[in-house]
Amino acid sequence: MQPTFGGFYMEYIKKVSWASQSRFQLVFIIIALVSTIVCTSVTFYTLIMLPKRIRSVERTLSLATAYISMSFIVLAVFQILFAFFSYLFTTSAVFGYALLSYDFLNVGSPIIMICMSKRLRRHTFGIEDGSQVTRVFSKTITQV
């Protein structure tokens, strides 16, 4: 294991000359991207077909999915550069950008949840707004 960019990578000896780890990872990245697009399309179709549409849910889901899909696409681009065109660039720079895009992908989901959910934001940061309503009930008991 070799430390790099705040993480680590594995050095290994290739047993099969044509197989590379970056091409192997690229297959999984593309599978994840395709499954994200398919699942999102099914969800959007289901939301559109609802008799009473919920615009806020559609907007939130669209923004979250766009962020995740763009993160996968950026990661796939850097992985393609690293897997097939590493001779054109300095490999450490492309490798570093790929690791940075992994960080955006991993950290992005919690950030999206905090940005899109008002209740989660209030709970996470302890923010109180003036919109809370307090109700007071009084009950009088008379003894005979």
Side-chain angles (χ1 to χ4, degrees):
M1 292 191 319
Q2 296 296 324
T4 182
F5 297 107
F8 67 92
Y9 70 94
M10 303 291 289
E11 286 188 4
Y12 59 94
I13 299 171
K14 286 185 183 183
K15 297 293 183 182
V16 181
S17 62
W18 56 267
S20 69
Q21 184 177 5
S22 55
R23 291 179 185 167
F24 183 68
Q25 285 178 341
L26 182 61
V27 169
F28 286 110
I29 291 168
I30 290 174
I31 289 171
L33 178 62
V34 168
S35 67
T36 300
I37 290 171
V38 167
C39 292
T40 303
S41 300
V42 169
T43 304
F44 281 144
Y45 178 75
T46 306
L47 281 173
I48 290 171
M49 297 310 289
L50 285 174
K52 188 175 183 181
R53 293 181 64 181
I54 308 168
R55 300 272 183 204
S56 62
V57 172
E58 292 175 20
R59 183 179 146 271
T60 302
L61 187 61
S62 298
L63 291 173
T65 305
Y67 180 87
I68 291 171
S69 296
M70 288 306 297
S71 297
F72 271 121
I73 289 170
V74 168
L75 178 60
V77 166
F78 284 122
Q79 199 68 30
I80 287 169
L81 289 175
F82 190 72
F84 298 108
F85 303 107
S86 61
Y87 59 88
L88 295 175
F89 306 97
T90 58
T91 37
S92 61
V94 175
F95 186 68
Y97 290 136
L99 289 177
L100 186 63
S101 58
Y102 270 119
D103 289 342
F104 277 113
L105 188 62
N106 292 333
V107 175
S109 297
I111 290 174
I112 289 171
M113 288 172 44
I114 289 173
C115 290
M116 296 297 160
S117 173
K118 188 175 188 177
R119 289 178 57 199
L120 183 60
R121 252 192 328 268
R122 280 189 286 170
H123 179 73
T124 303
F125 299 117
I127 299 171
E128 294 294 326
D129 58 356
S131 65
Q132 292 181 350
V133 177
T134 305
R135 295 184 182 175
V136 178
F137 296 98
S138 66
K139 186 175 184 181
T140 306
I141 300 175
T142 312
Q143 289 185 351
V144 179

